[in-house]
Amino acid sequence: MTQVQLDESVEYLKRRGFDTPEIGIVLGTGLGQLVDDIEDSIEAHYNHIPHFPLATVEFHSGKLIYGTIAGKKAVVMQGRFHLYEGYDFLDITYPIRVMHQLGIQKLFVSNAAGAINLNFKKGDIMLIEDHINLQGGSPLAFRNVSEFGNRFVDMSEPYDLDMRQKIEAIAEKEGISLQKGVYASVVGPQLETKAEYRMLKTLGADAVGMSTVPEVIVANHLRLPIMAVSVLTDECDPDNLEPVNIEEILAIANKTEPKMIQLFKELIKQL
Ligand code: HPA
């Protein structure tokens, strides 16, 4: 990753009409319906954007979409890059740096995750308040990262407090139940063993997934305020663990997404 590469990615997108996005949105696995709500949309496939990682994704169509959502200009990532696909930390966070350089002032991130906290149920949405990085690396542990800002990034409040308060108030007003908790990121792609789910609980995690944390670290490096939610797609009860069912995970993500979209749109209106 170099500044020249970022400039070339941004220049390509600006030329295609990605002019003045205020908000960036990353859509997680099974969470693609928001795209239908984008007005006057234009698209750029990841494979066409200079220096973007090549999309090999299984569950996503892999494109950046620009348009209006709830009256504001947004750039939406339909499909993200994961470590488990063989990308490295720089690859998976490159789009965050591009969206930042395009001019976004806020970042929304979503993911599908397993519920470690057994008071939470599949189909719940969890507002991420904090995280535990269990991916064994950092997008800031690369040679030229300091050229983009101090790499010793403060992580005392990685998720923007103001947006958290706003979204809680919105959920309350709209009658959407919103859990709150700690997201632990693992590499995957295999799901966890019973022993691993027990460990995650002991560590203080409320949810577990295979994404989000690297993007959040980079957004903090960029001083970009973040709001992140997990759509809980399975219940990780080590004492009654059922074999994983990816179809069910996707179906639950799909079914829960309209609630998430409602929260996102109301929050966008308030920003
Ligand atoms: N573990 C890890 N990632 C996940 C899970 C899980 O149980 N569910 C959805 N993504």
Side-chain angles (χ1 to χ4, degrees):
M1 176 192 60
T2 65
Q3 188 56 52
V4 171
Q5 288 176 333
L6 281 168
D7 289 344
E8 285 173 1
S9 302
V10 167
E11 195 196 324
Y12 171 85
L13 291 166
K14 292 268 184 200
R15 246 190 292 124
R16 291 197 55 115
F18 286 60
D19 290 324
T20 51
E22 293 174 65
I23 294 155
I25 302 176
V26 181
L27 295 177
T29 300
L31 304 169
Q33 297 164 65
L34 176 66
V35 166
D36 301 333
D37 291 323
I38 310 176
E39 296 155 44
D40 306 319
S41 63
I42 49 179
E43 299 181 354
H45 280 268
Y46 293 160
N47 293 357
H48 298 160
I49 307 170
H51 312 298
F52 246 57
L54 282 184
T56 62
V57 277
E58 292 161 47
F59 299 123
H60 305 298
S61 45
K63 59 194 175 193
L64 217 52
I65 305 165
Y66 175 75
T68 306
I69 304 176
K72 295 209 170 64
K73 292 288 180 196
V75 55
V76 178
M77 281 184 74
Q78 185 174 25
R80 61 147 64 82
F81 300 97
H82 298 91
L83 289 171
Y84 64 69
E85 292 163 302
Y87 300 108
D88 70 21
F89 281 100
L90 283 185
D91 294 330
I92 62 180
T93 52
Y94 187 81
I96 305 299
R97 294 188 181 275
V98 169
M99 290 194 287
H100 173 255
Q101 203 171 312
L102 274 173
I104 63 165
Q105 281 131 45
K106 301 271 194 293
L107 180 66
F108 294 6
V109 181
S110 61
N111 60 55
I116 299 292
N117 183 333
L118 298 177
N119 296 318
F120 300 172
K121 299 292 164 218
K122 44 182 151 181
D124 279 352
I125 299 176
M126 185 188 93
L127 179 64
I128 303 180
E129 294 187 309
D130 206 345
H131 71 225
I132 302 172
N133 178 10
L134 296 174
Q135 293 184 317
S138 164
L140 305 181
F142 287 81
R143 247 190 302 245
N144 59 345
V145 162
S146 337
E147 292 166 25
F148 298 87
N150 174 15
R151 68 169 83 227
F152 300 101
V153 172
D154 173 57
M155 293 294 277
S156 57
E157 199 72 273
Y159 298 87
D160 185 69
L161 197 53
D162 178 56
M163 285 197 281
R164 271 158 51 195
Q165 286 165 346
K166 284 195 165 86
I167 207 157
E168 277 191 73
I170 291 163
E172 171 100 63
K173 182 160 163 280
E174 305 279 325
I176 296 172
S177 91
L178 184 65
Q179 311 290 3
K180 292 182 287 183
V182 173
Y183 174 90
S185 65
V186 294
V187 174
Q190 73 286 350
L191 280 287
E192 288 70 35
T193 63
K194 295 181 200 114
E196 286 165 340
Y197 283 135
R198 276 190 200 102
M199 172 194 75
L200 289 163
K201 192 178 183 96
T202 304
L203 291 178
D206 296 294
V208 59
M210 305 173 191
S211 66
T212 301
V213 167
E215 289 125 308
V216 168
I217 292 170
V218 164
N220 275 273
H221 192 220
L222 297 165
R223 297 180 179 276
L224 183 58
I226 304 136
M227 190 279 300
V229 297
S230 290
V231 169
L232 303 178
T233 53
D234 52 307
E235 291 160 21
C236 310
D237 179 355
D239 299 320
N240 295 288
L241 193 59
E242 288 165 25
V244 67
N245 179 340
I246 296 291
E247 280 73 39
E248 196 197 358
I249 285 182
L250 293 175
I252 289 175
N254 212 272
K255 206 171 118 206
T256 310
E257 191 185 1
K259 285 194 288 183
M260 185 191 89
I261 293 174
Q262 202 181 341
L263 294 173
F264 279 20
K265 281 179 156 177
E266 285 303 316
L267 181 59
I268 292 172
K269 281 187 206 156
Q270 290 186 18
L271 296 177

